[in-house]
């Protein structure tokens, strides 16, 4: 009552309603300034940007659906196995068997969607935590990939030569430096932003993560939401795998492990609530950029690369703590108004 | 009383979870514009009964009739589509969602054409705020506020307003006044009366006899999953109802037990929660 109404301006309420974005932006600016200072002009110019943006694009494409899953209250560890499984599928189809590239791409993406579907079914039909289930499907996918690759190709690495159109669409370096994956990342951002914040399905995702029982009672098809989200994250991981094999023209069984933790890190730094029910696409994008700047900036800074891990750890804790604080402010907003 | 067809009726409904029998031979009727109070001790089966009505569980045996016609619900959505709205115990709203989004969870208003459907936020907020205000909660005026920032009574009111808004004919409330202060509880009771005035059939679960007597037309007491008593307003006194709710033991018996305990324990009452005394 004592507060003048003018204080309820747009700036204030956006700050209060999107707490993770505000905190995240501050973190992003601080981290960029820090590495710009240490890394100097090289980091601030094209080489620096291309290095952290290509990391951001790859991990970002996976972090978006992993973030949606976390908002819905689930984890997906299997992305780390889907990625190499998809690259190898593409390489085996189009390289080893020499079939057209588009068939390889379709095969690789299908692997991701199928593993995602299996994840979704298992998570929504059983009461086993999704962490355990997706660790299981990760090992299953990894074992199958390794076994089948050796059986078919006789080695753990397979080569392929993509056709020019596929190369231009998925494996090109724009200006000789910027990977085309960045453009795809932007497309993924637009689509996932639409799903979460504009379409009615976004409401279902928040509701499922906020209180699954109430969501089901409200008539939301919670199982379909879960299965759909796992298929999306499987697709995204496979997409990155396929784009890697098209870019580098070879696929390795061991690729992809780093994406498991990195994608979760981006999502959490981006302010998605670990227990589900809250988060935003802008937050995830900010988290991804922050993570990638630290991840690559460390090489430009001349610091011991191990410090990078420390910075990521500190950022993670700071993000979780500050999001808690901001969220409480957001919850109080309004009850004070009356 | 009258010969009108009850809006909702249960006939000999049994419900078991595997080997555990929770409900036995439940038969109940609720007419339009009437409040049925479902009373009973913890674990008596009240929540299970209303979950069966709401389509969360399906009855093991017996029938549910809506307007005299037998119904079978396999999902909560089926019951909802027939106009049975339920506000479950410990639930119904999403703390980290806005009022507008929470109000329309599962039935989002959209604009635009497929596949470019857009969640119509301003419409959702406007309708949600109006629906709650129509029930007398005028303090809620901004649909962008988070539900978690509302008081317990406001959250219950929001959940009830939501149920009524979506055309419910049967409103089921599982302990809506539990954990509420006197004033907030009075507010929820007023909303129950308003729903009754609008002609809804209401099933109201509570542990507080006072709350039951304030709104109830008809009372049913559940003891270990069976109906132990079924009576209308004015047929039993407050004390009798309290005794029934205590599971058949009379309140005076319970009091005597406590007194007996105190005599044999130097005047200390039985320890319920750990108290630190000097
Ligand atoms: N899904 C289930 N599986 C097995 N047993 C169940 C299940 N749901 C409820 N029960 C059992 O049924 C009995 C009745 O539970 P219910 O929740 O209906 O009680 P209640 O009358 O609502 O109690 P309260 O007043 O504490 O809310 C309890 O003994 C409970 O353990
Ligand atoms: Mg109960």
């Amino acid at each position: 009552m004592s507060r003048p109404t003018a204080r309820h301006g747009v700036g204030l309420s956006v700050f209060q309603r999107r707490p993770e974005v505000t905190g995240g932006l501050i973190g992003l600016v601080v981290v960029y300034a820090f590495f710009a200072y240490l890394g100097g002009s090289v980091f601030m110019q094209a080489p620096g940007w291309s290095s952290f943006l290509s990391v951001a694009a790859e991990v970002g494409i996976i972090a978006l659906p992993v973030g949606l899953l976390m908002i819905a209250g689930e984890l997906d560890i299997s992305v780390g196995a889907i990625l190499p499984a998809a690259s190898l599928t593409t390489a085996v189809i189009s390289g080893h068997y020499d079939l057209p590239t588009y068939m390889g791409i379709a095969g690789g993406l299908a692997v991701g969607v199928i593993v995602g579907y299996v994840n979704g079914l298992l998570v929504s039909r059983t009461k086993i935590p999704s962490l355990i289930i997706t660790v299981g499907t990760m090992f299953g996918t990894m074992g199958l990939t390794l076994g089948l690759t050796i059986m078919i190709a006789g080695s753990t690495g397979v080569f392929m030569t993509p056709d020019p159109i596929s190369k231009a669409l998925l494996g090109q370096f724009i200006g000789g430096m910027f990977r085309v994956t960045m453009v795809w990342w932007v497309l993924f951002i637009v689509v996932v932003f639409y799903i979460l914040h504009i379409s009615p399905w976004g409401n279902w995702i928040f509701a499922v993560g906020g209180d699954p029982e109430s969501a089901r009672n409200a008539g939301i098809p919670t199982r379909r939401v879960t299965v759909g989200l796992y298929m999306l994250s499987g697709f995204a991981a496979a997409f990155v795998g396929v784009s890697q094999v098209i870019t580098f023209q070879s696929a390795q069984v061991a690729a992809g492990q780093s994406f498991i933790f990195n994608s979760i890190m981006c999502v959490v730094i981006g302010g998605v609530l670990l227990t589900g029910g809250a988060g935003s696409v802008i937050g995830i994008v900010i988290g991804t950029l922050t993570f990638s700047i630290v991840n690559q900036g460390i090489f430009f800074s001349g610091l011991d690369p191990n410090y990078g891990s420390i910075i990521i750890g500190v950022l993670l804790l700071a993000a979780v703590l500050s999001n808690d604080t901001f969220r409480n402010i957001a919850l109080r907003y309004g009850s004070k108004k009356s | 009383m009258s010969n009108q067809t009850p809006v909702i009726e249960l006939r000999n409904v049994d419900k078991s979870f595997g080997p555990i029998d929770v409900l036995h031979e439940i038969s109940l009727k609720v007419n339009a514009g009437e409040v049925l109070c479902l009373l009973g001790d913890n674990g008596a089966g009240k929540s299970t009964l209303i979950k069966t009505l709401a389509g969360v569980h399906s009855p093991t045996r017996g029938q549910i009739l809506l307007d005299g016609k037998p119904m079978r619900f396999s999902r909560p959505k089926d019951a909802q589509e027939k106009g049975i709205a339920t506000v479950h115990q410990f639930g119904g709203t999403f703390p980290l969602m806005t009022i507008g989004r929470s109000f329309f969870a599962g039935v989002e208003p959209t604009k635009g054409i497929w596949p470019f459907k857009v969640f119509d936020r301003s419409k959702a907020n406007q309708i949600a705020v109006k629906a709650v205000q129509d029930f007398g909660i005028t303090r809620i005026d901004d649909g962008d506020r988070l539900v978690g920032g509302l008081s317990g009574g406001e959250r219950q009111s929001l959940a009830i307003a939501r149920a009524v808004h979506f055309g419910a004919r049967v409103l089921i409330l599982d302990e809506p006044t539990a954990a509420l202060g006197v004033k907030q509880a009075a507010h929820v009771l007023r909303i129950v009366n308003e729903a009754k005035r609008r002609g809804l059939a209401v099933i109201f679960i509570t542990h507080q006899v006072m709350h039951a007597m304030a709104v109830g037309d008809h009372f049913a007491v559940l003891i270990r999953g069976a109906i132990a008593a079924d009576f209308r307003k004015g047929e039993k006194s407050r004390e009798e109802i309290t005794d029934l709710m205590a599971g058949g033991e009379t309140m005076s018996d319970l009091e005597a037990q406590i007194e007996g305990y105190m005599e044999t324990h130097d005047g200390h009452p039985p320890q319920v929660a750990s108290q630190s005394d000097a």
Side-chain angles (χ1 to χ4, degrees), chain B residues 32 49 58 79 89 95 104 115 132 192 205 242 250 252:
Chain B
L49 174 57
S58 46
Q89 191 175 12
F104 282 98
V132 190
V192 172
I205 297 181
T242 315
T250 63
S252 44

Side-chain angles (χ1 to χ4, degrees), chain B residues 46-47 89 174-175:
Chain B
K46 304 181 297 298
S47 296
Q89 191 175 12
D174 196 352
E175 301 198 29

Side-chain angles (χ1 to χ4, degrees), chain B residues 114-183:
Chain B
W114 198 90
F116 298 106
K117 278 197 288 187
V118 172
F119 174 75
D120 194 341
R121 171 169 149 257
S122 62
K123 186 172 163 194
N125 288 355
Q126 192 193 327
I127 295 174
V129 168
K130 180 165 186 313
V132 190
Q133 291 199 339
D134 282 352
F135 273 105
I137 312 280
T138 46
R139 285 161 45 130
I140 295 181
D141 55 4
D142 177 2
D144 273 328
R145 271 171 66 179
L146 295 183
V147 171
L150 303 178
S151 76
E154 286 167 342
R155 279 176 72 169
Q156 281 294 342
S157 307
L158 179 68
I160 298 173
R162 173 181 200 277
V164 173
H165 176 83
F166 290 107
R169 304 180 48 228
V170 181
L171 178 61
I172 304 173
L173 305 172
D174 196 352
E175 301 198 29
T177 56
L180 295 189
V182 180
K183 251 179 135 163

Side-chain angles (χ1 to χ4, degrees), chain B:
Chain B
M1 284 206 153
S2 59
N3 291 329
Q4 67 182 119
T5 319
V7 176
I8 194 156
E9 180 178 355
L10 283 96
R11 280 195 197 148
N12 304 320
V13 168
D14 286 350
K15 176 71 200 170
S16 355
F17 295 104
I20 312 161
D21 294 325
V22 179
L23 299 175
H24 318 280
E25 298 271 304
I26 304 283
S27 296
L28 283 171
K29 293 177 187 173
V30 195
N31 292 325
E34 227 184 42
V35 177
L36 165 73
C37 286
L38 205 54
L39 309 170
D41 214 351
N42 293 117
K46 304 181 297 298
S47 296
T48 307
L49 174 57
I50 60 119
K51 281 184 183 161
T52 310
L53 280 175
V56 177
H57 306 313
S58 46
T60 311
R61 268 177 300 278
Q63 274 188 318
I64 298 173
L65 292 94
L66 202 67
D67 299 316
K69 287 189 284 288
M71 289 287 152
R72 203 145 187 106
F73 307 130
S74 51
R75 300 175 300 158
K77 202 166 178 122
D78 296 345
Q80 256 170 32
E81 277 163 6
K82 298 280 183 224
I84 302 180
T86 313
V87 179
H88 290 277
Q89 191 175 12
F90 322 116
T93 52
F94 307 93
L96 290 169
M97 285 165 76
T98 66
I99 290 171
R101 280 182 172 271
S102 181
F103 193 89
F104 282 98
V107 278
E108 292 77 8
T110 53
K111 50 188 182 189
I113 40 163
W114 198 90
F116 298 106
K117 278 197 288 187
V118 172
F119 174 75
D120 194 341
R121 171 169 149 257
S122 62
K123 186 172 163 194
N125 288 355
Q126 192 193 327
I127 295 174
V129 168
K130 180 165 186 313
V132 190
Q133 291 199 339
D134 282 352
F135 273 105
I137 312 280
T138 46
R139 285 161 45 130
I140 295 181
D141 55 4
D142 177 2
D144 273 328
R145 271 171 66 179
L146 295 183
V147 171
L150 303 178
S151 76
E154 286 167 342
R155 279 176 72 169
Q156 281 294 342
S157 307
L158 179 68
I160 298 173
R162 173 181 200 277
V164 173
H165 176 83
F166 290 107
R169 304 180 48 228
V170 181
L171 178 61
I172 304 173
L173 305 172
D174 196 352
E175 301 198 29
T177 56
L180 295 189
V182 180
K183 251 179 135 163
Q184 298 256 341
H187 224 119
V188 171
L189 293 175
R190 261 208 298 285
I191 290 183
V192 172
N193 270 327
E194 170 65 18
K196 173 164 120 179
R197 199 189 58 74
R198 294 192 192 180
L200 275 80
V202 183
I203 300 177
F204 179 78
I205 297 181
T206 181
H207 283 289
Q208 271 137 312
V209 183
M210 290 298 284
H211 293 171
M213 295 185 79
V215 295
D217 298 296
H218 177 180
F219 303 82
V221 181
L222 272 186
I223 296 180
R224 265 170 272 119
I227 295 195
D230 188 345
F231 51 92
R232 301 199 68 84
K233 189 175 186 162
E235 288 176 5
K236 283 205 189 333
S237 71
R238 209 184 124 197
E239 286 71 30
E240 285 173 302
I241 301 176
T242 315
D243 292 347
L244 277 164
M245 284 174 70
E249 286 180 275
T250 63
M251 204 61 203
S252 44
D253 278 352
L254 286 175
E255 275 161 15
Q257 273 177 26
I258 296 171
E259 265 159 35
Y261 182 95
M262 280 163 72
E263 266 163 31
T264 53
H265 289 79
D266 307 320
H268 289 298
Q271 213 88 35
V272 178
S274 63
Q275 292 163 314
S276 57
D277 44 353

Side-chain angles (χ1 to χ4, degrees), chain A residues 63-185:
Chain A
L64 285 163
V66 165
L68 292 188
L69 273 170
M70 198 181 283
I71 294 172
E74 309 293 358
L75 289 170
D76 189 357
I77 303 298
S78 68
V79 289
I82 293 175
L83 193 150
S87 331
L88 279 159
T89 306
T90 305
V92 165
I93 294 175
S94 304
H96 184 76
Y97 289 118
D98 226 6
L99 290 164
T101 310
Y102 74 87
M103 284 190 183
I105 294 174
L109 295 177
V111 166
V113 174
I114 291 166
V115 178
Y117 181 70
V118 172
N119 281 330
L121 273 193
L122 291 174
V123 170
S124 61
R125 301 274 156 169
T126 66
K127 290 199 158 66
I128 306 167
S130 58
L131 174 74
I132 305 299
I133 286 178
T134 55
V135 166
T137 53
M138 176 190 77
F139 279 111
T141 308
M142 227 150 61
L144 270 178
T145 309
L146 189 61
L148 288 176
T149 307
I150 291 176
M151 199 176 83
I152 296 170
S155 79
T156 56
V158 183
F159 297 88
M160 73 172 281
T161 315
D163 65 33
I165 298 174
S166 309
K167 182 85 189 166
L169 282 176
L170 290 167
Q172 190 194 162
F173 286 84
I174 300 168
M177 196 179 254
F178 290 92
R179 279 182 64 185
V180 68
T181 332
M182 294 169 200
V183 178
W184 287 103
W185 183 36

